[in-house]
Amino acid sequence: MARTITYMKAINEALDQEMSRDPTVVVFGEDNVGGHGAAGEMDAWGGVLGVTKGLYAKYPDRILDTPISESAFIGAAVGAACSGLRPVAELMFVDFMGVCFDQIFNQGAKLRYMFGGKAKVPMVIRTMWGAGIRAASQHSQSLYSIFTHVPGLKVVVPSTPYDAKGLLISAIRDDDPVIFFENKVLYTIEGEVPEESYTIPFGEANVVREGDDVSIVGVGRVVHMAQEAAERLAADGIQCEIVDLRTTSPLDEDTIYETVEKTGRLVVVDEDNPRCGMAADIAALVAQNRFDDLRAPVQMVTAPHTPPPFTGSLEDLYVPSADKIAEAVRKTTGGKVRARA
Amino acid sequence: MARTITYMKAINEALDQEMSRDPTVVVFGEDNVGGHGAAGEMDAWGGVLGVTKGLYAKYPDRILDTPISESAFIGAAVGAACSGLRPVAELMFVDFMGVCFDQIFNQGAKLRYMFGGKAKVPMVIRTMWGAGIRAASQHSQSLYSIFTHVPGLKVVVPSTPYDAKGLLISAIRDDDPVIFFENKVLYTIEGEVPEESYTIPFGEANVVREGDDVSIVGVGRVVHMAQEAAERLAADGIQCEIVDLRTTSPLDEDTIYETVEKTGRLVVVDEDNPRCGMAADIAALVAQNRFDDLRAPVQMVTAPHTPPPFTGSLEDLYVPSADKIAEAVRKTTGGKVRARA
Amino acid sequence: MTTTAPPDQASKQQLLEWYRTMRTIREFEERLHKEFATGEIPGFVHLYAGEEAIATGVITHLRLDDYIASTHRGHGHAIAKGCDVRAMMAEIYGKRDGLCHGKGGSMHIADVDKGMLGANGIVGGGPPMICGVGLSAKIRGTDQVGVSFTGDGGSNQGTFLESLNLAAVWHLPCVYVVENNGYAEATSVKYHAGAGTDIVKRADGFGLPGVVVDGHDFFAVYEAAGEAIARARSGGGPSLLECRVNRYYGHFEGDQQTYRAPGEVEELRRTRDCLDLFTRQVTSAGLVDAEELRRVDEEVARLIDDAVADAKAAPDPDPSDLLTDVYVKY
Amino acid sequence: MTTTAPPDQASKQQLLEWYRTMRTIREFEERLHKEFATGEIPGFVHLYAGEEAIATGVITHLRLDDYIASTHRGHGHAIAKGCDVRAMMAEIYGKRDGLCHGKGGSMHIADVDKGMLGANGIVGGGPPMICGVGLSAKIRGTDQVGVSFTGDGGSNQGTFLESLNLAAVWHLPCVYVVENNGYAEATSVKYHAGAGTDIVKRADGFGLPGVVVDGHDFFAVYEAAGEAIARARSGGGPSLLECRVNRYYGHFEGDQQTYRAPGEVEELRRTRDCLDLFTRQVTSAGLVDAEELRRVDEEVARLIDDAVADAKAAPDPDPSDLLTDVYVKY
Ligand SMILES: Cc1ncc(C[n+]2csc(CCOP(=O)(O)OP(=O)(O)O)c2C)c(N)n1
Ligand SMILES: Cc1ncc(C[n+]2csc(CCOP(=O)(O)OP(=O)(O)O)c2C)c(N)n1
Ligand SMILES: [Mg+2]
Ligand SMILES: [Mg+2]
């Protein structure tokens, strides 16, 4: 039975259902409970924004708070995953990856390969990403491009409550290390989500809107901006097809190629920075593998090559927007056009 | 007066000349000297492969050894750069970035922007990269794509002794944080290098070979492979133009566009992994900004989406090669060709 | 509990200066707490109210050319190090006239020219930089000192622990101040620190001298910090200073603090307030009279009023500022 | 110096097993040293020769289902944990029959099924994983134990220090063994550790019990490790065990060791050899006779000869192996 809940609640529900289903699922991070050692209430926070709230009452032994020692507890997730658990560790903000990246990219991601297939690392790292709440340069980054770069990691970037729940359940049941990106601005959006548990396979993009003229590809928050842009463009007779990648690693290349074969025009939208980022990744694959289907230059809409600024007026200019996306779409249709092959 | 020296010696000479020229240049890292606290010789190592050997005798107070505490001493470089020094810190292998990345990407790279321009961070991080010596998954990575992704950093990847010396001197004199990538396989190659000190500007690619048919773009070790491939292809009448980017950030887009305008065919070669990497970065820029000059699909030659393997037979398959480059070049010439716009 | 007496050599003017600094920090934070509730202030704001004696008692021993590295809870350190209060307020409001032109905000408030290397959004981000400051002084042959501030929670971050060792190995002119306010977000130090509340014990493992003082007692902090900083300045090497203190507000504005006992904060404000204690000490000793302190209070209140008014009235940054100051040259 | 006597309950068979393990490690390493010189062995190789009593004395207390995390100097730990010696040799030669099918090599030698979570190319890479092993045992309600090995140099890495605290906070069944062999590469512990050579002091700062033992004395290591591991297994929480020891070869093969005093190693081999000491102890006490030990030596020598011969003869991995085992499923 589906009902309308928030993206945040969908994540909480996925954790709850997997913890009740599988006793080896354990959740930990900084203040995922809150109140340890203090005189007041327990579960005082349930995560800095309340995502894990309520789990402590149900699973007091399987949700742990940690010291501010990301290397130790993210590494603990790696070790626990190698020895019989399915840990879900929280890296509060993905911006904090710099103090624990070794355990993620050299240990968790590589053990299986280095050991000749003799290790399995079924861990999930939940982490908050994205600009929009004036949290400044060290609490507003995207960074999923860096994780996507790393062989051995899977990278999930849900854009809706429905996807968040289904993809998180898949992540927890997955036998490889998964980095699960939660967009802080999307936490409060609502959507239809089934009560019962369900999974969404990795590497299967979601065509959220069909159209013949231009393909828009992206993940996370920008998918919503793309939809807004598409509405406006439709009014001008430009039909956009929107592909939400859902996971950046594995990547659903087929769906990207199919939409480009259909429209011949591609706009890649990415909240991450432009250099060596997701937008470039997709644009390059199409330029190599569907060049002859392209009827116009690929357009990339990304954050600029700067850190995220603090103040609202600048941060709003920093992230992509429906306006920028619409402008890019118009560029592709206005651009030089050659007959389809 | 130029003479023939190794890439390693060229780096040592750049450090020596800048230390003698500027008393605020200080060098530190693990065993950059070697022998501290021990009963034997001092300067016993001069760096794990001897790159800093001999500097201790000349500048005993300005070359320091560190504990195995990368976060502390890379962060010390940031703090020292903010307070009057020009530190050159060594991150022995770039693969170790995971234990100290925060100080590089959140502190060093962002201070100036976050502080509204009120900070200057003239630091250099020298680091060893690349496959080829059977050092396995945690000592053979490229990773410059990750650093190139980060706004605020400059990324230098020299391919010859001449470039290594000139670019390192520029890096030390630069007022922004620079990550200087030293390829471990290239340490022993020799080349003409002037004795006197000189600088090579950042963001100016080097066209190491001219040709009309196909453009090959890359950095570091693969530039040599590209030259080998170009020789062979020339015998078959295919003239390649080779662009050595020298620095990946800033990026010399103009030279890339000029060569593509000339040849209409692009092969990007990159020893780094393929997802969100340098090859994709270049391919995407061309697909967006010189689409109409392209006469064939862009081809990317990179390492596969796997960690570097240990054993030689697999590692040799892991890295790009003259064969793979030549094959990619042939693909672009064999591919569907349309008349120039 | 016993408190430390004012130093004999302290002039009345000096005492008033210390009081003014603590009062300015308190007023700045109390006012931000009110203004934040109106929703006009963007982003995360962590208030230093209750901890004023530490920033003031430590930093008064520093010169303009000495450096500090602060934390996410950095307003107090910035004010004590001499950052412009109006520009700080404008920065927190995200305005063009802000100390960082609106690009940093509360979590990155900084003024390198004043020796303030910034608040920090990364717990444990500052201590390594202070090793660099110490190295710089040593190499350049100056007698500058670097002081790092870290919380009890931050003392579990590897970057902080590594820095203690590096400072010892390089014998750097640095002081590592631990502001132990009993909580890391919603978690008590009794839970998050393996050895219980004694963060100072960690210094010994790296060969650093370490002391603990009552962080509410300005003169206790002043005395201990004076020794540590003098030692560092005179080539005696690094040390650790743990200050036991309390914060009056939530971890950040918006925190309901249900993890604290009912009345916990009210009790602390009544019994452990650093400004009250300072006032009692200097007035009972007849060094300053209450009237003079009240005049300082009024001046500070006006300053903060003006700062807030100016901040609200100030213009946003120019859109073009988005792309500037990423590099010196690119 | 005083040494520890063999435990009364140790059977002759048990004593011979310990000796066999130490001798196997020694022979494995001595042989690698020779073979490396021929240029046939790829990559970086860090030899454990001289430190055998630690791996053997600690790991003999572990079960197959207990876990260890090792360092770049991992051959000894792997052998003691029961990894197949022939497969290890083949791995170091980079062959298909290797323990990791030639993809890991000496620096990543591992066998998770045997509870060996791998040598590690990252100094400080292992300790956090051992926190996870302890957590897993605790959550699953088993009495498994996790043991992490770290060098004196590695004890300066934040990851190691954070792990001590996390293990204390979570009260984990873990033991952190510090193999203090006096050097981190070419740098003495006297330089790189702020508190001098006493790494054990760091345990106290995180509330862990810590002890120091002579790492050449098998029975001393055996006794201390037994207590630490029994404590962990019975719910008594984590502890640190520092073993003072020496390495016989360079940091890695190829290191000329000019930082060591002339004759330093020869002297150590003559006076501080763990195998000699063990032999003297068990023979003088009449528990085992020299003849029996010599027989073990011969068997071990044959085993290593065969392992090397097989490794050299073994085929390279298949080219297709380059792309396998990155993921379980992708
Ligand atoms: C590396 C990192 N981890 C986690 C956080 C989130 N965080 C911000 S402040 C804080 C608590 C800090 O506690 P403490 O060091 O005691 O300082 P206090 O807030 O009490 O002044 C945490 C966990 C962060 N900013 N950086
Ligand atoms: C994070 C990291 N930094 C540096 C290195 C390079 N390195 C490898 S071993 C080593 C010295 C380790 O010394 P110690 O921990 O005492 O172990 P030992 O070699 O003496 O057994 C160093 C610096 C590394 N592998 N990883
Ligand atoms: Mg605190
Ligand atoms: Mg050692």
Side-chain angles (χ1 to χ4, degrees), chain B residues 61 65-67 69 71-72 75-76 79-80 83 85 102-103 107 112-118 152-154 176 249-250, chain C residues 67 99-101 103-104 108 110 112 117 120 122 125 128-129 132 136 139-140 162 166 170 322 324-325 327-330:
Chain B
D61 304 331
D65 281 349
T66 68
S69 309
S71 282
S83 57
L85 294 185
D102 182 71
Q103 287 295 328
Q107 312 299 338
R112 182 173 180 81
Y113 190 80
M114 297 191 298
F115 297 175
K118 292 226 200 95
L153 297 180
K154 292 177 178 175
D176 293 308
S249 180
Chain C
Y67 289 91
L99 200 54
C100 306
H101 304 313
K103 286 167 149 183
H108 304 293
V112 178
L117 290 178
N120 211 305
I122 301 299
M129 287 187 235
S136 182
I139 296 284
R140 291 179 299 108
E162 288 185 2
L166 181 61
W170 281 353
L322 175 65
T324 59
D325 292 326
Y327 298 91
V328 173
K329 182 171 163 303
Y330 194 60

Side-chain angles (χ1 to χ4, degrees), chain B residues 18-19 22-28 61-64 73 75-89 120-124 171-177, chain C residues 67 112 129-142 144 170 172-173:
Chain B
E18 284 305 289
M19 287 178 91
D22 180 351
T24 68
V25 175
V26 52
V27 170
F28 51 86
D61 304 331
R62 283 192 287 138
I63 178 163
L64 291 85
F73 74 77
V78 175
C82 290
S83 57
L85 294 185
R86 289 188 175 275
V88 181
K120 227 177 56 175
V121 188
M123 73 167 176
V124 177
I172 294 170
R173 297 181 190 179
D174 197 279
D175 282 336
D176 293 308
Chain C
Y67 289 91
V112 178
M129 287 187 235
I130 285 306
C131 289
V133 163
L135 177 66
S136 182
K138 225 177 143 167
I139 296 284
R140 291 179 299 108
T142 73
Q144 290 160 287
W170 281 353
L172 299 174

